Amino acid sequence: MEAPLYPDFPLDPPTSRGGQPAFWVAPRHLAGDDGRLYDAVAETLAGLGWTSLTIVRGRHEPDEAPEDRQVLRSTVLHISPDALRWAQWSLADEPFHLGDLPIAWQISARAETSSPLAQWSAYFTTDVPGEAVSDFLGALDARDQPDAPLAGPELVLAAVAAHGWLRDIDQPDAAATDPTFTSHISLGEVPPLIQDADPRALTTEADEPGPAGWQAWAEPALGSPCLWAASFGASAPHDLVAAFATSLSSTAPVLRRVLPEATRERLLRAPA
C-alpha cells in the first residue's frame, strides 16, 4: 500500500487565496486527470499547430437574445495541419461509454485526405492522465504516416515492464499490470463500437473473436468501478500505444490539485 510522502501533512489542507493546493503525486496511472483533461490535451494540440473547430448545435428562436439560446450539444474538433489526424472532445456531445465511463477524447487517423474514413481510432475516458494522452498525440503528430505499423506488440509490454509493471503469468505476450494489480494493459478483442478499418471488424460472426486491439484500464479495487479506461482500434500502430503506455506507467510524479476519491489513499504525495 502506498503512503503519503509527508504523512503528517494533511490530505486536505486549507485552500489558500490562490486556489486549491497543489501536490506532486505518484503513481501517474492512479492520479486522475486533475479535472482538466480537455485543457491539458488542447494545450498540447495548440502547441503542435493543430486547428480547433467548435461545432454548436442548438435552438434559436426569433428575437431571442444570444445568451438565451438553448445549446443542445457541442463538440470541439482539433485537426492536424496535414488533415490526416484529428482529435475530438466528445464529452459534451452525448458520448458512448467505455467501462461504464463516458468517452472524453476520440483520436483518429487516416492514410490519405481523399478517404473520409479513419484507419483507426483511440478512445480515452475521463480521469485518464492528461500527460499520457498528450504524449500519445505527440508521437502521433511526429509520424509521417499515421497509419503505418512500425513495430510489434512487444514494444508496448516492454514499455511498461521498464517501469516495473508485471507481465501476466497466463498471457506474458499480451498483458501486464502494475505492481499493485490496479492498472492493466492488455491486447485482446476490441469492445463494440470501436471504429477501425480492419475488415474483420465488420465480417466477424457473433460467436467468433474479433480483431485484437490494446485496452487499458484502472480498477482501484476488485469489482469496483473503473477509474478510467482507454481503448485502441485493432489497426492502431503499436509504437503509438507504446508511447501512451510509457507515459502512463512513468514513475515521474505529476502535479495535481484534484485527487480521485477512489485512489487518493494509494497516492504518494508531497506539497508543491
Side-chain angles (χ1 to χ4, degrees):
M1 176 67 69
E2 293 160 314
L5 292 176
Y6 294 88
D8 296 330
F9 192 85
L11 183 60
D12 295 308
T15 301
S16 67
R17 290 174 57 187
Q20 293 175 291
F23 299 92
W24 288 108
V25 302
R28 181 178 301 186
H29 59 90
L30 298 181
D33 62 13
D34 204 29
R36 58 185 309 272
L37 184 57
Y38 174 78
D39 292 334
V41 174
E43 289 169 5
T44 296
L45 294 173
L48 295 173
W50 289 34
T51 300
S52 63
L53 304 171
T54 301
I55 304 169
V56 178
R57 303 174 181 89
R59 183 179 298 110
H60 186 68
E61 301 293 339
D63 302 324
E64 183 181 33
E67 62 270 18
D68 295 330
R69 180 180 180 183
Q70 182 182 1
V71 176
L72 301 181
R73 299 190 300 171
S74 62
T75 300
V76 182
L77 183 66
H78 300 257
I79 306 173
S80 65
D82 62 7
L84 293 179
R85 47 215 110 188
W86 59 95
Q88 177 179 329
W89 173 257
S90 57
L91 193 61
D93 200 27
E94 299 180 6
F96 65 88
H97 286 64
L98 182 66
D100 292 328
L101 296 170
I103 298 293
W105 279 104
Q106 176 181 341
I107 298 168
S108 306
R110 57 184 175 178
E112 51 190 24
T113 56
S114 60
S115 172
L117 301 177
Q119 189 73 15
W120 57 263
S121 293
Y123 304 80
F124 305 92
T125 72
T126 52
D127 272 326
V128 173
E131 295 84 357
V133 181
S134 293
D135 288 340
F136 174 79
L137 282 163
L140 172 61
D141 183 81
R143 260 174 160 262
D144 291 332
Q145 293 295 325
D147 64 312
L150 299 179
E154 173 61 27
L155 189 64
V156 178
L157 297 172
V160 295
H163 291 154
W165 286 36
L166 309 173
R167 292 181 184 247
D168 187 275
I169 295 177
D170 299 321
Q171 305 178 76
D173 297 326
T177 182
D178 81 287
T180 66
F181 301 96
T182 302
S183 297
H184 312 265
I185 190 164
S186 175
L187 181 63
E189 185 174 356
V190 177
L193 302 179
I194 300 301
Q195 297 179 16
D196 195 86
D198 189 328
R200 293 175 299 165
L202 301 176
T203 60
T204 303
E205 299 293 336
D207 57 346
E208 295 178 350
W214 287 101
Q215 319 299 317
W217 68 96
E219 187 179 18
L222 186 62
S224 67
C226 289
L227 173 65
W228 57 262
S231 182
F232 302 84
S235 299
H238 297 294
D239 60 295
L240 295 183
V241 181
F244 170 80
T246 298
S247 183
L248 178 73
S249 60
S250 172
T251 57
V254 290
L255 192 65
R256 293 290 186 268
R257 287 180 171 80
V258 180
L259 304 180
E261 288 290 342
T263 57
R264 60 193 305 161
E265 297 294 337
R266 294 173 175 264
L267 292 172
L268 293 160
R269 59 191 181 274

